[in-house]
Amino acid sequence: MLKRRKKFQSLYSLSLPHLCFSYLSSMASCYKSTMFSIVIVFLFFTKLVFSQQVPIFESDSTTDCNNRWIHIRRLPSRFNIDLLTNCSEYQLFDDFCPYLANHGLGQKTHNRSHSWYRTDPLMLEVIFHRRMLEYPCLTNDPNVADVVYLPYYASLDALRYLYGPDVNSSMDHGLELFDFLQEDEPGIWNRYTGHDHFLVMARPSLDFSQSLNDDPPVWGTSFLELPEFFNVTALTFESRAWPWQEQAVPYPTSFHPPNLALLESWVQRVRRSRRSALMLFAGGGGVSATPNIRRSIRNECQNSTVNSTSNGGYKKLCEIVDCSNGICDHEPIRYMRPMLQATFCLQPPGDTPTRRSTFDGILAGCIPVFFEDQSAKSQYGWHLPQNEFDTYSVFIPKEEVVFKGLKILDVLRSIPRARVRRMRENVLELIPRIIYRKHGSSPGLKAKKDAFDITIDGTLQRIQSRIKEVDLVR
């Protein structure tokens, strides 16, 4: 036990303090524009540095690490922490400095909040890195590790290729990382030529899959198209249908409870919430003349009849929460309150098939309505059971709505109330699976697997299965 304790002390003494103090310097540079902001950041990080209890995990009867050992690859800070120092300076991209607070959860929605934060999805790499430091089966020895985690902030590094000075060099994204992995302790990578490595990429895979042959370059970087990384498991918000190495994981919501009582309190609130609207759409788009599913939804909502005898007791048949121009991104109250009052939440595809709103709606106990399988069913198999999809969601083909005149309201009103109640209960059971709890949470909450835990379980199974195939070929 003493040997194991020293092993984790060594790991955390190098990882967590480095992470904390690097955040301090990066955030100070982010907020250097005003003295008031610097004071706020100083107070925040003083509390963080001097009150943070660094977890030391010891082997006990409740922790089975067999086939679960993970090694965190030590990368130079230019691949992660240094990318935060320019948080206010990325061209054509909003200042994301405020969302670095609380290890990537963002600032609290209000001072008395214990669970709600202004979380930006782009921060999942930071959130994931912090949670990895609490994983109970970490090892400093890569030779005994079953899996190797690369704490590379890929989506943040991608900003310079997507919006910045390297936009015409997008095919280079990732090459510097690969060179480092080959030069620094190459045996770690060469053991399975990357098959045992994984990383988090907090954007849809489309943003990393520009063809190497595109000339001139179009949208995206070519990270996932590089042969050097074909063997690495990439955890993205949205995966493509064909590459084996990609796996979609939930977008982070703004809800990050630190203990079981707060989670259960929220679930009870969701269960008791009165549903006064039949269906709701929170989002933008749908205003162009071109036929598309969002336009059909807006037209149907605007033409729906209120207070009709066929409303089934609902005050509204359809409600729209306009989230155009990103006004809802960091203001969860704008959409969570209406979602709590709606029975069905419409989740049409936009620029890409998936939406963060899918998970916001589930968190609110609002039954999701999908219009194509790529929006969720074929994406989040680890977190949303595919064989039970019709027990907690509704599927309406978008082609039937856009081109054949099928009314969404007719479909939803035809569902028996008893089935609706069962579906909502099934949605409530999904809530713990799709949230990312706060780091340093209570033992009671840790007993319930959240999105991070399920992601780690799926990653371990996928990599171990892949390694068995590699061993058979050797």
Side-chain angles (χ1 to χ4, degrees):
M1 182 179 296
L2 180 60
K3 181 179 180 181
R4 177 175 170 80
R5 182 181 181 89
K6 288 182 178 179
K7 174 170 62 176
F8 282 114
Q9 284 176 329
S10 173
L11 175 66
Y12 283 105
S13 65
L14 290 173
S15 300
L16 189 55
H18 174 69
L19 194 61
C20 294
F21 284 105
S22 296
Y23 277 167
L24 177 58
S25 61
S26 66
M27 289 292 285
S29 66
C30 290
Y31 286 89
K32 61 186 177 182
S33 57
T34 67
M35 181 62 67
F36 176 77
S37 295
I38 292 177
V39 170
I40 295 299
V41 173
F42 175 77
L43 292 175
F44 169 78
F45 277 101
T46 298
K47 179 180 179 182
L48 172 68
V49 172
F50 290 102
S51 67
Q52 180 68 50
Q53 296 297 314
V54 180
I56 303 296
F57 295 100
E58 298 183 9
S59 178
D60 56 46
S61 58
T62 63
T63 303
D64 181 10
C65 292
N66 187 37
N67 297 322
R68 297 183 57 82
W69 289 108
I70 295 180
H71 173 72
I72 300 180
R73 190 73 157 89
R74 199 170 303 281
L75 300 180
S77 59
R78 67 180 183 273
F79 293 115
N80 41 54
I81 302 301
D82 287 356
L83 296 171
L84 306 179
T85 61
N86 298 323
C87 55
S88 63
E89 301 174 7
Y90 287 97
Q91 298 179 15
L92 300 178
F93 193 80
D94 290 338
D95 176 7
F96 62 81
C97 295
Y99 314 118
L100 298 179
N102 295 298
H103 295 278
L105 301 183
Q107 299 170 338
K108 293 182 177 181
T109 53
H110 54 87
N111 291 336
R112 297 179 62 185
S113 173
H114 296 289
S115 302
W116 291 91
Y117 300 82
R118 303 185 190 281
T119 303
D120 190 290
L122 192 66
M123 295 296 106
L124 181 62
E125 294 156 352
V126 182
I127 296 170
F128 205 94
H129 191 181
R130 177 61 181 87
R131 284 289 303 277
M132 278 300 307
L133 298 180
E134 295 182 2
Y135 182 70
C137 298
L138 295 179
T139 175
N140 261 343
D141 187 353
N143 295 313
V144 303
D146 300 289
V147 167
V148 177
Y149 164 57
L150 295 174
Y152 171 49
Y153 299 170
S155 64
L156 296 179
D157 198 20
L159 292 177
R160 59 190 172 107
Y161 298 102
L162 299 176
Y163 305 103
D166 297 322
V167 67
N168 292 322
S169 304
S170 57
M171 64 186 64
D172 295 335
H173 182 207
L175 290 179
E176 185 180 359
L177 173 63
F178 181 77
D179 289 342
F180 170 80
L181 296 175
Q182 290 291 292
E183 296 169 1
D184 183 82
E185 299 185 75
I188 301 176
W189 176 271
N190 293 335
R191 184 170 64 149
Y192 289 108
T193 60
H195 281 288
D196 57 344
H197 286 55
F198 79 97
L199 77 164
V200 179
M201 309 182 78
R203 300 183 76 97
S205 59
L206 179 66
D207 293 348
F208 305 104
S209 54
Q210 179 182 175
S211 172
L212 294 170
N213 299 320
D214 285 342
D215 188 16
V218 292
W219 173 256
T221 80
S222 300
F223 187 99
L224 293 176
E225 293 295 311
L226 294 175
E228 291 87 343
F229 288 105
F230 277 173
N231 297 338
V232 175
T233 296
L235 306 175
T236 64
F237 287 145
E238 177 180 310
S239 63
R240 294 172 291 173
W242 55 94
W244 81 269
Q245 75 269 38
E246 298 169 21
Q247 173 62 41
V249 298
Y251 291 78
T253 67
S254 294
F255 183 63
H256 310 282
N259 58 57
L260 185 59
L262 287 171
L263 172 61
E264 292 180 341
S265 175
W266 172 256
V267 172
Q268 288 305 314
R269 178 184 175 184
V270 173
R271 178 176 280 111
R272 293 192 303 265
S273 183
R274 297 185 62 181
R275 308 284 165 168
S276 58
L278 177 61
M279 70 181 192
L280 174 141
F281 168 58
V287 295
S288 68
T290 305
N292 60 69
I293 184 60
R294 294 196 176 207
R295 180 182 178 218
S296 296
I297 289 171
R298 287 188 177 273
N299 289 342
E300 187 168 345
C301 281
Q302 292 168 359
N303 296 329
S304 62
T305 303
V306 181
N307 295 327
S308 168
T309 56
S310 61
N311 281 4
Y314 292 105
K315 293 181 180 180
K316 301 177 182 178
L317 284 179
C318 181
E319 182 176 3
I320 292 180
V321 178
D322 190 357
C323 290
S324 302
N325 301 317
I327 62 173
C328 298
D329 288 353
H330 308 111
E331 296 288 345
I333 195 172
R334 286 182 180 269
Y335 51 83
M336 288 304 299
R337 185 169 292 171
M339 283 179 170
L340 282 167
Q341 299 171 351
T343 296
F344 296 96
C345 283
L346 310 184
Q347 306 298 349
D351 294 335
T352 66
T354 64
R355 307 182 69 213
R356 171 182 174 171
S357 176
T358 294
F359 303 99
D360 293 323
I362 291 174
L363 180 60
C366 191
I367 301 168
V369 180
F370 299 112
F371 300 90
E372 59 178 67
D373 284 343
Q374 275 292 99
S375 292
K377 186 175 183 179
S378 61
Q379 295 282 350
Y380 306 106
W382 291 351
H383 300 80
L384 304 178
Q386 292 177 320
N387 58 345
E388 303 172 9
F389 220 72
D390 60 348
T391 67
Y392 56 81
S393 69
V394 176
F395 178 74
I396 305 174
K398 62 183 180 182
E399 295 80 10
E400 298 288 322
V401 177
V402 177
F403 300 113
K404 297 185 179 180
L406 178 64
K407 298 299 182 183
I408 302 171
L409 284 170
D410 291 343
V411 175
L412 300 182
R413 282 188 291 190
S414 68
I415 302 175
R417 288 198 171 190
R419 184 186 170 197
V420 171
R421 287 193 294 269
R422 291 194 300 270
M423 293 176 76
R424 185 179 300 119
E425 283 299 315
N426 291 335
V427 169
L428 295 182
E429 292 180 3
L430 293 174
I431 291 177
R433 300 174 60 87
I434 57 91
I435 64 170
Y436 294 88
R437 67 174 179 263
K438 187 180 180 182
H439 50 270
S441 56
S442 68
L445 185 56
K446 289 180 179 179
K448 282 185 175 289
K449 290 189 175 183
D450 72 339
F452 172 86
D453 296 321
I454 294 171
T455 297
I456 291 297
D457 288 346
T459 301
L460 285 164
Q461 293 174 11
R462 173 180 289 231
I463 288 178
Q464 288 166 2
S465 175
R466 187 68 177 179
I467 287 176
K468 288 180 181 178
E469 296 178 7
V470 172
D471 286 339
L472 289 173
V473 174
R474 288 180 174 177

